[in-house]
Amino acid sequence: MKKIFLIFGFLFAASLAGYAEGNYLHTITLEKNNSGYNVILESDAMAKVTKSTPSSSELVLELSGITSADTVNALYKGTSNIDNLVIENIAHNKLKITVSADNIADSSIIMSPSDGYSSIVAEGFPMEKALWVMFVLALFTVIFRICAKNSEEDSKILIKQDIKDREIEMYRRYRRDLDSLSMRSVKDIRMKNMLKKIDRKIDERLMSSIK
């Protein structure tokens, strides 16, 4: 089993090496657009592209998995202000392209392979957008905390009000029960006085009858 994995690994590596060896850069087109340039790289297949901009007038591209053809054509569309264009084979299947021109940093890098569709590459996440996203997230966090705090305070107020209402209701119930008990006590006293009067009357009549 281990030998089978080794054989497949070797074949896979060999196929990658053969793919990389057969991938050549043929043409670089620098095309002026509204904000900067379109840098179009025509090759046999897609390659990994890393973009850096040391300054607003300098663009550096590093391409992996590709090498330059014997002759690389440079085409300029809508511009004649390109100061410098250098293509270097810096390692095996690795190229470095340096372009110097005004506002070249604002460029879109487009890979146009002959065996597929053109696509924009080497686009990192803009720092401005990253800062804006961080600001929005921080703002949402602050708003959420304020809302949570206000909700907690409102809950405490409602709880206190509920307790106060229950205490008032208990007090009112107590007063009603106390008043009712007082009324019953008064009635009991009146009844006892009346019974005593009746008893006295009965005693008087008995005594008079005896005489």
Side-chain angles (χ1 to χ4, degrees), residues 8-23:
F8 274 112
F10 176 77
L11 292 175
F12 180 72
S15 63
L16 286 180
Y19 172 79
E21 287 289 349
N23 191 14

Side-chain angles (χ1 to χ4, degrees), residues 11-194:
L11 292 175
F12 180 72
S15 63
L16 286 180
Y19 172 79
E21 287 289 349
N23 191 14
Y24 293 96
L25 177 66
H26 298 283
T27 303
I28 299 178
T29 301
L30 297 173
E31 181 181 56
K32 195 74 175 69
N33 59 27
N34 293 331
S35 59
Y37 295 85
N38 293 326
V39 181
I40 305 171
L41 307 174
E42 297 182 23
S43 60
D44 295 314
M46 291 294 293
K48 181 180 178 181
V49 182
T50 303
K51 172 185 173 182
S52 62
T53 51
S55 67
S56 61
S57 59
E58 186 177 5
L59 172 68
V60 177
L61 301 177
E62 291 190 2
L63 285 67
S64 300
I66 190 171
T67 188
S68 62
D70 293 336
T71 300
V72 179
N73 298 317
L75 303 179
Y76 304 98
K77 293 184 179 180
T79 181
S80 59
N81 298 325
I82 305 301
D83 298 328
N84 193 26
L85 173 60
V86 178
I87 303 172
E88 302 175 80
N89 286 294
I90 57 176
H92 181 65
N93 293 324
K94 193 168 184 179
L95 294 178
K96 180 179 179 181
I97 301 172
T98 305
V99 185
S100 299
D102 291 337
N103 299 321
I104 192 65
D106 296 326
S107 297
S108 296
I109 314 304
I110 301 171
M111 200 84 191
S112 181
S114 58
D115 62 350
Y117 296 100
S118 300
S119 60
I120 297 177
V121 296
E123 290 295 324
F125 195 73
M127 184 57 67
E128 294 82 3
K129 291 185 179 180
L131 293 175
W132 173 250
V133 169
M134 291 175 64
F135 171 76
V136 171
L137 291 176
L139 183 61
F140 280 155
T141 301
V142 172
I143 293 174
F144 176 78
R145 289 182 178 179
I146 292 174
C147 292
K149 185 177 180 180
N150 290 337
S151 177
E152 184 178 356
E153 290 178 355
D154 292 342
S155 298
K156 289 181 180 178
I157 292 173
L158 291 175
I159 291 172
K160 289 180 180 179
Q161 185 64 39
D162 184 59
I163 293 173
K164 185 178 180 180
D165 292 341
R166 283 187 292 172
E167 289 178 346
I168 292 173
E169 181 61 29
M170 290 176 64
Y171 174 74
R172 289 176 176 173
R173 189 179 303 172
Y174 168 74
R175 289 297 305 172
R176 287 196 298 267
D177 293 343
L178 184 61
D179 293 340
S180 176
L181 181 61
S182 299
M183 290 298 295
R184 286 199 300 270
S185 299
V186 171
K187 289 179 180 180
D188 291 342
I189 292 171
R190 288 178 180 177
M191 182 62 70
K192 287 179 181 180
N193 291 334
M194 187 177 295

